[in-house]
């Protein structure tokens, strides 16, 4: 059970070669998607094809283990032995692990995020100033219009 600072070290993101190999099904690069030989990539979305394949393997192997009596000392109720129930429980746990994984960023990631935040902050400031100027011009034009209308009437 690895949760905490070691999560990112224990489960690094797939390399581009591994991911390309997965899609091209190249055996030397493709992480094995078999019971006991699969992993999730927490840097990818849960809906990513790779994580969906890992999810399917996990559900199938987990249900097979339950069927073979792996959890007979603390039995799992029958209503929780469906693909849907196991998938939902897994999705909830993976969401938690993904949040933990995101917390553990490298110094480079943190610096990049700080730069992005600074740029976005400047964009918001400029956008707000432009919007305020547009509102002011609109009000001035409206005021000027009514001033002219008053004089004409």
């Amino acid at each position: 059970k690895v949760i905490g600072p070691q999560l990112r070290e224990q489960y690094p993101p797939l390399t581009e070669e591994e991911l390309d190999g997965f899609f091209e099904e190249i055996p030397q690069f493709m992480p094995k998607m078999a019971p006991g030989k699969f992993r999730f990539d927490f840097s990818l979305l849960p809906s990513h094809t790779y994580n969906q394949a890992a999810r399917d393997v996990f559900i199938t192997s987990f249900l097979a283990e339950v069927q073979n009596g792996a959890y007979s000392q603390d039995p799992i109720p029958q209503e929780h032995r469906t693909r849907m129930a196991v998938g939902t429980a897994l999705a909830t746990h993976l969401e938690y692990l993904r949040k933990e994984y995101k917390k553990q960023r490298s110094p480079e990631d943190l610096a990049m995020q700080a730069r992005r935040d600074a740029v976005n902050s400047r964009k918001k400031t400029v956008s707000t100033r432009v919007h305020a100027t547009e509102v002011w011009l609109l009000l001035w034009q409206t005021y000027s219009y009514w001033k002219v209308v008053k004089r004409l009437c």
Side-chain angles (χ1 to χ4, degrees):
K1 185 176 182 179
V2 179
I3 298 178
Q6 315 90 319
L7 188 64
R8 189 172 280 271
E9 294 169 18
Q10 182 96 16
Y11 301 104
L14 293 173
T15 64
E16 281 191 43
E17 275 186 333
E18 289 173 322
L19 205 51
D20 290 345
F22 169 75
F23 285 112
E24 296 169 13
E25 297 184 11
I26 300 171
Q28 67 266 29
F29 292 117
M30 190 173 98
K32 300 290 183 203
M33 289 290 187
K37 290 192 171 194
F38 67 92
R39 71 179 180 106
F40 293 93
D41 186 336
F42 298 113
S43 68
L44 301 173
L45 291 173
S47 59
H48 190 277
T49 307
Y50 179 85
N51 283 333
Q52 287 297 313
R55 176 186 176 273
D56 291 342
V57 170
F58 173 82
I59 292 171
T60 302
S61 62
F62 178 78
L63 290 173
E65 285 185 28
V66 169
Q67 186 70 29
N68 293 329
Y71 297 94
S72 57
Q73 289 183 350
D74 191 13
I76 296 172
Q78 192 62 38
E79 64 267 16
H80 298 300
R81 294 183 190 192
T82 65
R83 291 188 69 79
M84 178 71 99
V86 173
T88 301
L90 178 62
T92 302
H93 187 60
L94 288 177
E95 183 180 324
Y96 165 73
L97 289 176
R98 222 170 155 252
K99 285 179 185 175
E100 289 297 311
Y101 191 84
K102 281 184 172 183
K103 288 179 189 175
Q104 303 165 18
R105 297 186 177 173
S106 67
E108 296 84 25
D109 291 343
L110 292 173
M112 188 183 313
Q113 184 64 44
R115 281 193 298 276
R116 246 182 287 162
D117 291 346
V119 167
N120 288 339
S121 176
R122 283 191 293 275
K123 283 181 183 176
K124 285 179 186 173
T125 301
V126 168
S127 174
T128 302
R129 286 181 185 162
V130 167
H131 180 69
T133 303
E134 289 171 352
V135 169
W136 184 85
L137 284 172
L138 182 63
L139 288 172
W140 179 254
Q141 289 170 350
T142 305
Y143 171 74
S144 298
Y145 171 78
W146 284 112
K147 199 171 168 184
V148 169
V149 168
K150 263 185 161 179
R151 267 194 240 156
L152 294 175
C153 292

